[in-house]
Amino acid sequence: NIKNKHKILFGIDKDKFSKITYKEARKKLGIEDDEIVFFHRAQNEFKGTPYVLEALKMMDANKKITVLTCEGKGLLDEVKDKFNIRDLGLLNDEQMIVTMNACDIFLMPSIGENAGLMAVEAMTCGKPVIIFNNTGLPYVTHAPECGYLVKNKDSKDLKKAMEYLMENKAEREKRGKLGRKIVEKEYSKEIYYDSVRKTYREVYNKKQKASK
């Protein structure tokens, strides 16, 4: 029953995330050229880490995979013998930018999400984002065209998506470029500032008319 609604998407400083290249970021983290790198915010409660773990358990151990995680540590220890798991812990802004640029694929199979800021950050860096078909993430990432949609809470489907993007560089690049375009069109800080100013002007003008 709300008559006056204003949609303001959060703004990203897209230039801030472009300060380091893919090759520079990987060199900084000591990652070899032939490694496929996943990045995931590890947290059992909301970020879907148990599903990531189950998907990794089912994957071929012969693949050269590195999984970078931030926040939670030790949550993927069960597959440390199969793959290179690097728990980076809590990251500051600069470390996050380096890590996001170093990865090939961002994993965000969340089961509870408020806005999905990290998905937009990944898109800003030109990275494809794998998400569950739930919460607001399909909307935020423009799935299925940009965000790679997986059945909700389905580790097998998550594994399938991870392997598909691993083996298809052209698909990764296509979705990554589309993600960057979406950020420039919808999530830039300039658009955010303009939206806030426009909303304040509209509300003020309505109040002025009502008072007359």
Side-chain angles (χ1 to χ4, degrees):
N1 297 321
I2 299 173
K3 293 180 180 178
N4 299 314
K5 298 186 288 289
H6 302 273
K7 181 177 76 173
I8 301 177
L9 303 174
F10 44 73
I12 288 284
D13 185 349
K14 56 187 185 298
D15 296 330
K16 182 180 176 181
F17 284 84
S18 306
K19 291 189 297 184
I20 188 168
T21 67
Y22 174 73
K23 286 188 176 181
E24 289 169 343
R26 287 169 79 95
K27 186 177 180 181
K28 204 162 188 175
L29 292 176
I31 297 169
E32 296 178 15
D33 292 341
D34 60 344
E35 292 181 67
I36 288 291
V37 179
F38 293 98
F39 181 29
H40 172 61
R41 181 179 175 185
Q43 185 195 93
N44 279 334
E45 289 80 8
F46 300 112
K47 302 302 177 182
T49 304
Y51 301 99
V52 172
L53 177 60
E54 288 305 311
L56 289 168
K57 283 181 180 178
M58 292 183 276
M59 290 174 73
D60 185 355
N62 294 322
K63 297 182 186 295
K64 200 165 184 181
I65 295 173
T66 290
V67 183
L68 304 176
T69 76
C70 65
E71 195 169 318
K73 290 186 175 185
L75 301 180
L76 300 179
D77 279 357
E78 287 183 57
V79 290
K80 270 196 167 182
D81 292 337
K82 284 180 70 175
F83 305 117
N84 182 23
I85 308 297
R86 292 178 58 180
D87 294 329
L88 304 177
L90 295 174
L91 303 178
N92 60 34
D93 284 354
E94 291 302 316
Q95 291 168 328
M96 181 65 74
I97 290 168
V98 170
T99 308
M100 195 67 84
N101 275 287
C103 79
D104 296 290
I105 301 157
F106 185 62
L107 300 175
M108 201 171 183
S110 302
I111 57 172
E113 201 64 58
N114 181 26
L117 177 60
M118 286 190 76
V120 178
E121 290 174 341
M123 290 161 65
T124 307
C125 295
K127 308 301 176 180
V129 185
I130 298 179
I131 57 170
F132 278 153
N133 190 11
N134 64 12
T135 69
L137 285 175
Y139 171 80
V140 170
T141 63
H142 288 230
E145 291 79 16
C146 184
Y148 198 101
L149 212 54
V150 171
K151 293 175 187 175
N152 191 32
K153 299 182 180 181
D154 190 326
S155 297
K156 288 183 179 178
D157 204 32
L158 177 59
K159 167 190 173 282
K160 188 176 175 182
M162 290 166 69
E163 289 180 331
Y164 175 74
L165 287 181
M166 278 177 59
E167 294 161 6
N168 289 273
K169 184 179 179 181
E171 185 70 16
R172 296 199 305 269
E173 291 178 347
K174 183 188 83 171
R175 289 177 184 267
K177 287 176 182 176
L178 177 57
R180 176 71 186 195
K181 286 181 181 177
I182 289 169
V183 169
E184 291 172 351
K185 187 177 178 181
E186 296 184 8
Y187 293 107
S188 74
K189 64 177 183 180
E190 293 81 10
I191 293 171
Y192 169 77
Y193 295 150
D194 286 343
S195 297
V196 171
R197 281 192 290 263
K198 182 181 176 183
T199 300
Y200 272 98
R201 278 196 296 267
E202 287 180 5
V203 172
Y204 176 78
N205 290 336
K206 284 177 182 177
K207 290 289 183 182
Q208 288 293 94
K209 286 179 182 179
S211 64
K212 292 178 181 179

